Amino acid sequence: MVRLDDAVVLSNGFPLLSGVDLELVAGSLSVITGANGAGKTSLLRLLGGLVALSSGRGTVVGIDLSEGDLRHLRRRVGWLGHEGSFYDDLSVRENLEFAARALGRPTQAIEGVVERVGLTHRIDTTTKQLSAGQRRRLGLSWLLLRRPELWLLDEPYASLDDEGRTFFDGLLGEVVAGGATVVVSAHDPLRSAALHPRTLTLAGGRIVSDVA
Amino acid sequence: MIRIAWLVAVKDLRIEARSRVLLWQVLPFGAMALLLSGLALGPTHAGHSTAGPGLFYLVTLFVALLMINRSQGIERTPGTRASVATLGLDPAGVFLGKTLALAIELWVSGVVLLCGAVLVLHTALHGALLALPSIIVTLGAMAAAGTLYGALTSGGEGAATLLPVLTLPAFAPLLISGERSFSAALNHGALWQWWVIVVVALVAYLGVGILLYGVLEES
Amino acid sequence: MMKQLSQRLLGPVTLALLTLTFWLGMWVTPPDKVQGDLVRLVYVHPAIAWVALYVSFGTATIASALYLWKRTRSMVMDRVAHCAMEVSVVFIILTLITGSIWGRPTWGVWWAWDARLTSTAILGVLAVGYLALRRANDDPSLRARRSAVFAILSAINVPIIHFSVLWWKTLHQGATVFTANRTLLIHGIMAWTLLISFIAFTLLFFWLLRARYRLEVSRDQSRSVALATSLEMRRREGAI
């Protein structure tokens, strides 16, 4: 599913990733931990085709990161960032309809997934009026609607209350059981013991520990 | 491509309708700029000026710069960028959609500013109506050029100040041909050569945008 | 061997031809019946304008197009486009200065709303805009792509700007060397001096381009060294 060999990512001459070697198999759950600035978000962005590989080699879902079509790669991954999702001036429903129509997906399932993430009462509210946790749930509803092969979740537990965290743990288990590959970045190890993730620790833009 | 273009245009216009930046910020700026143009001409020339068409296009050009910044700005928030990137939208469709939305916004502001020119600068109403087809095409070309130059500067250091530096030279022929065809409409003069310039510019910008908009995407 | 020899000779030949142009233009060619000694600017201004508007801008456009074409995409093309555009800015400024010096006694003003003058000035802003765009983007790949697209757009804009301003108004004297039906307008030593000036300034462009390109290569080499150091330091963060 994912293979990186000595992957380096630069930004303005600074190495965000300084040589990452990584192999992930399909249907696995991995947690990337590390201090601030260790390169967690950069690694996720590289896997999602959102930043270019500066040197080294890599393939994600069979697409070469150096020579492949990154637009095709992006269409096959799901991204949940910690900054929010989609357009602030559109409602939850409008954002999801835009995304579904862009990918040619049916829009009938929108109400179902919105109910699943607990946003039904906010479905016609503009995104900028949502709280940070509710925005995170909007991002999740989009992933549920899309069901991508590779889920990239950047600090998904931030801004979630206890109920949200429990819901999220349950969802992760379900997604992995369904055959998708999930990579989560987090400051702390996952709370749920039932998930048994592989834990990768990043420091200085490299993986310094890998515990299965 | 057409499906994505339509989707993007509707989305941009819906965001505009909801945020009302055009109504409450851009159009008042345009109206004030038109008034200032009259003041700059002095008391003897402000009311019966032949500079009406030129001032109309000059103000429209500044209004266009604000709207181009706005058009790119709605895509710039970090969460939006990453989420929309994972949709893998066809760049040619995105370009056409953003161009269409920007053109519609420019047409709306053009009509308002035209009314302003008739009212404040005493531009002849009949001539203004005759100039309307050329104004529509010129503003369409401005929208196509603006979408391209907006994407070129988007996200770079000092994008808001870089945009006018790059865009104004490209707008110069549009300003010239727009002003000349507007003046020709007022004075029943020849129009064909100005149409040639605007149509060539429109086709060139649409062609380059469809072919190269994807190259401008950040990675 | 031949390549090395031509590179070595480029500088001396350029200097020799520029000196020859200066000597022929100042002392050998006759003054004009109408313009007097002012006509000697014909051995400088058209050649500089030729380099500014066609040779350097053309080189930058071709290199940009080659960068955008996937088969020929390389940072060499990006560097050539960048260096050619920088040299182009110098020649455009010289074109405007020499044009103004010529225009002042002819038209009575330093600046006139002439088609070629105006479109050259707009082209100058486009060339400066290209350099500003490069400074605004730090990522080398993004910078190369964006500036290549801008160069192509600028090249497309050149005829649009030219004809719009030409139809708007023109004061410029007609063609200097050829008439519309390709008949030579100047003859003898004047024609030869003009030809030598075009060759000399064209060679000057390539000489400056080569020097600027070498500087850019050495800058890239020092950037690579700095990058290797920062990569090593970043890796050490992980080892602590």
Side-chain angles (χ1 to χ4, degrees):
Chain A
M1 173 60 72
V2 170
R3 187 185 169 88
L4 298 178
D5 295 311
D6 199 21
V8 173
V9 169
L10 301 172
S11 172
N12 303 339
F14 178 77
L16 298 170
L17 297 181
S18 58
V20 172
D21 297 304
L22 177 65
E23 200 164 346
L24 299 176
V25 292
S28 62
L29 169 64
S30 308
V31 179
I32 301 169
T33 63
N36 286 337
K40 301 188 293 292
T41 302
S42 302
L43 179 54
L44 288 185
R45 291 177 71 84
L46 176 68
L47 297 181
L50 297 168
V51 288
L53 186 66
S54 301
S55 71
R57 295 205 59 80
T59 52
V60 178
V61 294
I63 296 172
D64 191 297
L65 290 177
S66 309
E67 315 210 326
D69 187 343
L70 293 185
R71 196 171 302 121
H72 282 143
L73 167 62
R74 289 184 209 127
R75 286 177 82 106
R76 291 172 66 181
V77 302
W79 170 268
L80 180 68
H82 53 73
E83 314 99 334
S85 291
F86 298 110
Y87 299 98
D88 278 355
D89 284 305
L90 296 184
S91 69
V92 169
R93 188 199 301 275
E94 287 163 345
N95 267 314
L96 290 173
E97 277 179 356
F98 171 74
R101 290 202 171 115
L103 284 179
R105 301 285 168 99
T107 52
Q108 292 89 333
I110 287 175
E111 291 194 3
V113 293
V114 169
E115 189 182 350
R116 176 110 200 264
V117 299
L119 276 182
T120 304
H121 63 298
R122 295 291 217 167
I123 194 165
D124 291 314
T125 306
T126 49
T127 308
K128 66 179 167 197
Q129 290 174 309
L130 299 178
S131 69
Q134 285 170 331
R135 282 170 186 234
R136 194 60 52 90
R137 286 168 185 259
L138 165 63
L140 261 184
S141 63
W142 166 234
L143 295 184
L144 284 170
L145 197 67
R146 266 184 77 185
R147 294 274 173 188
E149 294 162 66
L150 176 62
W151 293 49
L152 302 168
L153 313 173
D154 190 15
E155 306 277 0
Y157 292 101
S159 321
L160 285 183
D161 53 19
D162 269 356
E163 185 208 335
R165 281 170 172 252
T166 309
F167 166 74
F168 202 84
D169 283 344
L171 184 72
L172 280 188
E174 186 195 305
V175 167
V176 175
T181 311
V182 180
V183 187
V184 179
S185 79
H187 274 292
D188 310 305
L190 291 194
R191 204 174 53 163
S192 169
L195 291 170
H196 306 298
R198 175 180 171 191
T199 304
L200 304 156
T201 308
L202 275 180
R206 281 198 308 169
I207 294 171
V208 291
S209 133
D210 184 350
V211 181
Chain B
M1 181 172 77
I2 300 298
R3 186 177 62 85
I4 296 296
W6 185 248
L7 200 63
V8 170
V10 169
K11 179 262 298 174
D12 274 18
L13 290 172
R14 185 172 279 158
I15 289 174
E16 195 45 62
R18 195 148 298 159
S19 65
R20 300 197 178 161
V21 170
L22 176 66
L23 183 67
W24 292 111
Q25 294 173 23
V26 178
L27 287 179
F29 165 82
M32 194 60 219
L34 214 53
L35 277 173
L36 286 176
S37 306
L39 294 176
L41 287 173
T44 38
H45 299 289
H48 48 90
S49 168
T50 50
L55 292 176
F56 162 78
Y57 270 105
L58 198 62
V59 171
T60 303
L61 201 141
F62 292 132
V63 163
L65 286 177
L66 291 182
M67 281 156 64
I68 296 162
N69 253 331
R70 168 75 185 150
S71 168
Q72 292 297 326
I74 56 177
E75 310 289 341
R76 293 304 309 168
T77 51
T80 308
R81 257 163 57 199
S83 311
V84 175
T86 60
L87 298 178
L89 299 173
D90 172 23
V94 175
F95 165 72
L96 287 178
K98 291 199 87 65
T99 298
L100 179 62
L102 188 58
I104 291 171
E105 289 165 23
L106 278 173
W107 290 332
V108 170
S109 66
V111 169
V112 174
L113 293 175
L114 204 56
C115 294
V118 171
L119 199 71
V120 179
L121 301 173
H122 298 183
T123 305
L125 179 63
H126 180 66
L129 290 175
L130 280 177
L132 214 50
S134 76
I135 291 172
I136 289 170
V137 182
T138 306
L139 297 189
M142 263 187 201
T147 305
L148 263 175
Y149 285 99
L152 268 171
T153 54
S154 163
E157 206 175 300
T161 41
L162 184 61
L163 180 71
V165 176
L166 302 192
T167 316
L168 290 181
F171 277 179
L174 298 175
L175 175 81
I176 290 172
S177 46
E179 186 277 329
R180 286 287 80 199
S181 53
F182 195 163
S183 293
L186 288 173
N187 305 312
H188 309 288
L191 280 167
W192 69 268
Q193 55 194 21
W194 308 116
W195 274 98
V196 169
I197 285 178
V198 175
V199 171
V200 166
L202 177 65
V203 171
Y205 286 124
L206 287 177
V208 172
I210 288 169
L211 287 173
L212 296 178
Y213 199 73
V215 177
L216 302 177
E217 280 184 347
E218 275 185 73
S219 61
Chain C
M1 182 68 185
M2 276 300 287
K3 196 180 165 189
Q4 265 189 339
L5 188 69
S6 60
Q7 281 183 355
R8 270 192 194 171
L9 286 177
L10 184 59
V13 170
T14 304
L15 279 178
L17 285 177
L18 282 172
T19 312
L20 185 63
T21 304
F22 185 70
W23 177 66
L24 289 171
M26 290 300 284
W27 288 287
V28 179
T29 54
D32 185 64
K33 274 188 286 186
V34 182
Q35 295 193 33
D37 281 331
L38 201 63
V39 80
R40 297 184 196 285
L41 274 166
V42 81
Y43 309 118
V44 180
H45 178 69
I48 290 175
W50 149 258
V51 172
L53 306 182
Y54 298 99
V55 182
S56 55
F57 219 88
T59 305
T61 307
I62 291 167
S64 297
L66 290 172
Y67 179 83
L68 287 176
W69 199 28
K70 274 193 177 171
R71 279 190 192 175
T72 46
R73 181 170 295 177
S74 81
M75 292 315 276
V76 172
M77 293 304 160
D78 178 56
R79 255 185 242 133
V80 170
H82 174 203
C83 299
M85 199 63 94
E86 266 192 13
V87 180
S88 176
V89 170
V90 175
F91 276 89
I92 288 172
I93 291 170
L94 285 174
T95 305
L96 290 172
I97 291 172
T98 51
S100 278
I101 293 170
W102 203 347
R104 177 72 179 88
T106 315
W107 301 330
V109 283
W110 291 103
W111 174 269
W113 288 102
D114 165 67
R116 282 192 230 174
L117 195 57
T118 311
S119 48
T120 305
I122 296 174
L123 197 67
V125 180
L126 281 173
V128 171
Y130 175 93
L131 300 179
L133 180 64
R134 290 192 74 88
R135 291 187 71 86
N137 291 285
D138 288 319
D139 175 58
S141 160
L142 186 67
R143 179 175 58 214
R145 279 181 284 142
R146 286 187 167 186
S147 45
V149 172
F150 183 70
I152 300 287
L153 272 173
S154 302
I156 292 171
N157 257 317
V158 169
I160 297 174
I161 291 170
H162 178 75
F163 281 105
S164 65
V165 186
L166 186 73
W167 288 338
W168 185 66
K169 193 179 182 184
T170 195
L171 295 168
H172 221 94
Q173 68 185 57
T176 310
V177 186
F178 292 103
T179 60
N181 54 6
R182 308 259 169 217
T183 316
L184 255 177
L185 278 172
I186 55 175
H187 306 276
I189 189 66
M190 291 176 77
W192 281 109
T193 310
L194 195 68
L195 179 68
I196 292 167
S197 77
F198 270 72
I199 296 169
F201 280 103
T202 305
L203 289 180
L204 177 64
F205 162 75
F206 285 109
W207 191 29
L208 290 172
L209 178 67
R210 195 183 61 149
R212 183 63 190 84
Y213 184 85
R214 281 180 171 177
L215 181 65
E216 201 56 28
V217 169
S218 73
R219 273 186 186 170
D220 279 353
Q221 280 166 348
S222 48
R223 277 186 208 119
S224 301
V225 173
L227 179 64
T229 312
S230 63
L231 204 57
E232 192 48 44
M233 285 173 70
R234 177 78 165 139
R235 282 175 179 158
R236 271 190 218 154
E237 279 176 38
I240 293 165

